Amino acid sequence: MMNRNNVSYVDAISEATAQEMAYDPSVIVFGLDVDDHKAIQGTTKGLLAKFGPDRVFGTPLSEDAMTGAAIGMAMCGLRPIHVHIRMDFMMLAMNQLVNIAAKTHYMYGGQIRLPMVVRSMIGKSWGQGAQHSQGLYSFFMHVPGLKVVAPTTPFDAKGCLISAIRDNNPVVYVEHRILHFQKGPVPEELYEVGPGKARITAAGSDITLVGISHMQIECLRAKHYLQEKGINAEVIDPIWLSPLDVDTIAASVRKTGHLLVVDNDWATCGASAEIMAAVTERLQGEMRFTVHRMGFANTSCPPTPSLEYLFYPNGRTVAAKAFDILKGSAQNWLPNERPDLKEIEFRGPF
Amino acid sequence: MIAKFYESLYRIRRVEEEVAKVYPTDKIKSPVHLSIGQEAVAVGVCEALQPEDIVFITYRSHAAYLAKGGNLKAMIAELYGKVTGSAKGKGGSMHLVDVANGIMGASAVVGTTIANSIGYAYGVKLKRQNNIVVCFFGDGATDEGVFYESMNFAALKKLPIIFICENNGYAIHTAQAKRQSVPDIAAKAAVFGMPIERLGDDVLHLYERISAAVETLRSGGTGPFFFECETYRWKEHVGPSEDYNAGYRAKTEAEPWMQQDQVQKFAMMLDPQQRQQIEQAVEIEIAEAFEFAENSPFPPDAELYDGVFA
């Protein structure tokens, strides 16, 4: 028996998929290697045996046409889940997602709806390098007609995937390779974690930390480090990036007076920029507050461990930034790394 | 059959002539890519289909839309940007759609609907439906990478789909020979292991050959089928005028096509009285459609934000 309090993110995804496929015969899964022995890090494990090769199939390396095919399947009444083993490959699907999927319902006057999910994962560490590490969700947040979700916990991984599958619109579902190793409570039954609701993952009063995707974990680590200095940070996981729950974030900043968004992406024109702008629009004139952000170094991602470490924000650098915001940078504080707050060791190759 | 074909041909020709006539008044604020000269392919193909069959069309698809049974009033209203249009004024001439009549939409980004059509055909096969899918695209679409990816997948999965390449020789103003190292589109499709056939714009021959493919698919045979249909665009790429003086093509190139005009050919095959009856009925229908568009309201302001999500 599976310990329901210790379910992995990977198992949460495969379970949600299998349950939805059993529940609804129109749900199908495809993408390069979804049906091979590795089963996309295990996220599609067991599906082929259970549902057969017509509903679970590997595809040619044709991201453009396969994305277009997902759209056509949705037009025909199916609920396709198209899987990319890295988000970087979605650049080859941009035309179909932006020009067709996002616009179909509106451009055809409501005659057609497109229930479809595009799953992909962001890589990190073990030399993922420039083209296996990108968190490009802001591209999709920009376009009306697409929903974007980036769950952090196994609980949300399952609930958001079920919501995404049942949604009658195209949903870009963003995973993170490191989050795949997260474990936590996941109910066995089907449940939804629906669009447009953020989650306060740790209550606090001094500063609001918004962490996106894997950076949610780093923000929770930062909260622990900040406690050493008597700082009580509130941490928020937006979960759904589009539609974005500005209410929950703005309410927190109303309380703390300081916002630090930590993104799993570059800052320029990214989700962090959008969240800062939305909160500022909401609160300006009402009170004094400050907005700040962190993200990838403004470079391509270097694979060598020494430079890669510098490329990403981490719990310690997030804590240091929050400390600077509240206390000024003159003290130049950077916490010592605590073994219990170290990143889980990830060994490659993928 | 001749009368039915003539009605469809004549109706498409006359609708587009009316569109071209109205266009300079700016009542139609939507870029129109007229099919005048290319009606034969649309009619020959669509006459071989049933109402429940599905077509994916292109931005130059007034002809295919009408030939497949698309609602004429909704089409003209859509060109006028009226709320009674096929997409409530949110699609325009380049994005005609009529799901009730199996018309699953048109894209202005060339080639993109090819990929959508194979996905639809996969769904038809998975759900064991008996209808078939037809995808129209031009020679320009075969320059795109998505064409090759889609041919491969369709052939790999033996999908119940018929590809119709309407080869009018030009992508906007650039001739096929200036774009393609091997200007033989059917040969490229053949590489993927599907039956190919090269056709002209003889409506009856088109009808016969497409019907044979339809029959194969309908009776459980496997697809896909590929037809390259040579045709010719009489008007400019976009807009109501001719452009034989623009320098990229000569009128002499168009003349053989005009001499074998299928609309005229079918007109001559009918007795004058029957012909007159058909034409009168079509003229009344067209007049009504334009009147309907003229008299329909523009969408209310609230429509702007309606339908971003389903």
Side-chain angles (χ1 to χ4, degrees), chain A residues 69-312:
Chain A
I71 292 167
M73 291 172 195
M75 288 174 162
C76 190
L78 298 179
R79 291 185 178 269
I81 305 172
H82 185 199
V83 186
H84 300 272
I85 202 159
R86 282 293 180 273
M87 190 165 204
D88 314 71
F89 303 138
M90 284 181 72
M91 297 305 93
L92 291 160
M94 284 301 271
N95 176 53
Q96 289 288 344
L97 288 171
V98 174
N99 279 327
I100 316 293
K103 292 165 176 56
T104 289
H105 188 67
Y106 190 88
M107 185 172 83
Y108 295 144
Q111 285 199 37
I112 302 176
R113 59 185 203 184
L114 293 183
M116 57 184 278
V117 181
V118 183
R119 277 185 51 207
S120 69
M121 58 211 66
I122 302 163
K124 182 181 178 181
S125 81
W126 204 264
Q128 296 289 300
Q131 297 174 342
H132 269 33
S133 60
Q134 297 173 95
L136 300 166
Y137 33 77
S138 71
F139 289 14
F140 304 101
M141 291 170 67
H142 183 66
V143 183
L146 299 177
K147 295 185 182 179
V148 184
V149 62
T152 304
T153 64
F155 179 90
D156 288 340
K158 179 172 177 178
C160 290
L161 184 54
I162 291 169
S163 273
I165 292 167
R166 294 179 181 180
D167 203 291
N168 285 326
N169 300 283
V171 180
V172 175
Y173 181 98
V174 186
E175 299 156 39
H176 192 288
R177 183 69 184 104
I178 302 295
L179 291 176
H180 277 170
F181 300 101
Q182 292 281 314
K183 290 187 173 176
V186 176
E188 189 171 2
E189 67 266 20
L190 290 161
Y191 60 91
E192 296 186 37
V193 176
K197 191 76 194 106
R199 195 191 303 287
I200 297 169
T201 51
S205 52
D206 298 329
I207 186 168
T208 302
L209 304 180
V210 174
I212 298 168
S213 182
H214 180 246
M215 285 301 147
Q216 172 62 206
I217 306 298
E218 301 295 3
C219 285
L220 289 169
R221 289 183 179 130
K223 179 181 170 70
H224 287 291
Y225 285 121
L226 287 165
Q227 278 166 349
E228 292 173 14
K229 288 290 187 180
I231 294 168
N232 188 10
E234 179 146 292
V235 183
I236 294 177
D237 183 350
I239 309 176
W240 288 84
L241 295 168
S242 184
L244 181 67
D245 179 3
V246 181
D247 290 350
T248 297
I249 300 169
S252 174
V253 178
R254 194 175 274 126
K255 185 170 68 178
T256 64
H258 301 282
L259 171 65
L260 172 56
V261 185
V262 188
D263 198 4
N264 199 78
D265 182 16
W266 296 288
T268 307
C269 297
S272 65
E274 180 57 32
I275 292 170
M276 285 167 61
V279 169
T280 302
E281 283 175 332
R282 189 69 64 88
L283 298 182
Q284 63 189 347
E286 179 187 322
M287 59 179 284
R288 293 180 66 85
F289 60 96
T290 68
V291 293
H292 313 267
R293 59 179 157 166
M294 297 175 78
F296 293 170
N298 207 20
T299 66
S300 293
C301 180
T304 177
S306 62
L307 296 181
E308 189 194 48
Y309 180 77
L310 299 173
F311 177 79
Y312 292 104

Side-chain angles (χ1 to χ4, degrees), chain A residues 28 53-55 57-58 60-66 68-69 71-73 75-78 95-96 99-100 102 105-109 111-113 144-147 168-169, chain B residues 56 86-88 90-91 95 97-99 104-107 109 112 115-116 118-120 122-124 126-127 129 146 149-150 152-153 156-157 303-304 306-310:
Chain A
I28 69 170
D54 290 341
R55 290 180 67 195
F57 60 93
L61 255 178
S62 303
E63 287 85 354
D64 186 1
M66 289 302 98
I71 292 167
M73 291 172 195
M75 288 174 162
C76 190
L78 298 179
N95 176 53
Q96 289 288 344
N99 279 327
I100 316 293
H105 188 67
Y106 190 88
M107 185 172 83
Y108 295 144
Q111 285 199 37
I112 302 176
R113 59 185 203 184
L146 299 177
K147 295 185 182 179
N168 285 326
N169 300 283
Chain B
F56 284 81
S86 50
K88 299 195 280 186
K90 297 174 183 179
H95 305 294
V97 65
D98 188 343
V99 172
M104 297 307 292
S107 175
V109 183
T112 49
N116 305 150
I118 60 168
Y120 200 103
Y122 189 88
V124 163
L126 183 71
K127 293 160 77 176
Q129 292 175 192
V146 73
E149 292 185 4
S150 300
N152 177 54
F153 185 77
L156 182 72
K157 297 291 181 185
E303 273 290 338
L304 176 63
D306 191 59
V308 176
F309 290 107

